[in-house]
Amino acid sequence: MINTSFNRTNSINFTAKLDISEIKNNKALWANVADIFENKTKKIPYDFSVSDQNNKVDIFASVDLGNEDYSEHCCTLTKSASKDLLTFSQEKIAQKLIKLLNIFKHQDKTKIDTIEFLNKLEKSDKYDTLNTPIYENGDSIYDKVFYPIFDKMKQDRIKAVADDSILKDADFID
């Protein structure tokens, strides 16, 4: 597993960064991929980290969503997919990472939109029914709206990688 300790400062990063410090093999290839990735992801404030332990490529992504909300994503490619990925050109490898970035960005936008909707609804919750437990299991209406969004985010990701030979069998931690 890759090192997930990113420097969480209050400075704003205006380009996605690709940390390759955990890469053991093909360092020159990954250095070029990092340059391509960072040049093509200007103004997208995600931090990516890649490692290559046990013949598998691990990809970790994180972003500060604001309002003290932080999002992390992890993807481990299968050994076969990791091997296949390394046969691609540097440009195509960077494009796979950009595809992941866009998937993670979409998932995070879904979460942010849901939180904003619920916050707006909470402000006009005159009778305090949004957060009051009303279901048999103790869930509130808020719970019934918020938590299924994670199922939607997962299903969106599954659909986005379904036809991708490298990403379709990857192990994602949401």
Side-chain angles (χ1 to χ4, degrees):
M1 195 55 141
I2 60 178
N3 179 3
T4 61
S5 60
F6 281 97
N7 183 12
R8 297 181 186 179
T9 63
N10 289 334
S11 65
I12 296 175
N13 174 15
F14 287 107
T15 185
K17 297 292 182 194
L18 179 58
D19 178 2
I20 58 169
S21 63
E22 298 290 321
I23 289 291
K24 306 287 187 243
N25 302 306
N26 303 304
K27 290 182 181 189
L29 168 94
W30 282 105
N32 290 333
V33 168
D35 288 340
I36 294 167
F37 177 80
E38 291 175 4
N39 284 327
K40 290 186 178 260
T41 58
K42 293 185 189 314
K43 298 184 181 182
I44 304 174
Y46 279 72
D47 289 319
F48 267 58
S49 179
V50 179
S51 74
D52 59 354
Q53 297 179 19
N54 301 319
N55 297 318
K56 292 182 178 180
V57 173
D58 287 319
I59 304 160
F60 180 79
S62 62
V63 66
D64 182 352
L65 299 173
N67 294 328
E68 299 180 21
D69 196 7
Y70 194 76
S71 183
E72 298 177 332
H73 305 274
C74 187
C75 169
T76 302
L77 303 181
T78 64
K79 286 183 181 183
S80 174
S82 297
K83 183 179 175 183
D84 290 347
L85 180 69
L86 295 177
T87 67
F88 291 175
S89 68
Q90 297 164 3
E91 177 73 29
K92 196 167 180 183
I93 294 170
Q95 286 302 325
K96 288 293 178 194
L97 296 175
I98 292 168
K99 180 176 184 172
L100 271 179
L101 170 68
N102 288 327
I103 291 167
F104 296 155
K105 192 172 133 184
H106 176 75
Q107 288 180 298
D108 292 336
K109 173 119 175 62
T110 299
K111 180 181 174 187
I112 290 168
D113 289 348
T114 303
I115 291 169
E116 287 175 354
F117 165 75
L118 287 167
N119 286 341
K120 186 175 180 180
L121 193 58
E122 194 170 36
K123 286 179 183 176
S124 64
D125 188 18
K126 181 178 179 178
Y127 300 106
D128 196 29
T129 57
L130 185 64
N131 290 306
T132 303
I134 61 168
Y135 298 99
E136 287 182 20
N137 65 352
D139 280 353
S140 66
I141 295 168
Y142 183 101
D143 297 330
K144 292 286 188 175
V145 172
F146 183 72
Y147 293 106
I149 290 303
F150 292 98
D151 294 333
K152 179 191 179 345
M153 291 164 51
K154 181 178 179 180
Q155 291 304 310
D156 286 349
R157 180 193 30 81
I158 289 169
K159 181 98 172 160
V161 301
D163 295 329
D164 189 300
S165 63
I166 300 298
L167 300 173
K168 70 179 178 183
D169 295 323
D171 182 24
F172 286 86
I173 300 175
D174 295 322

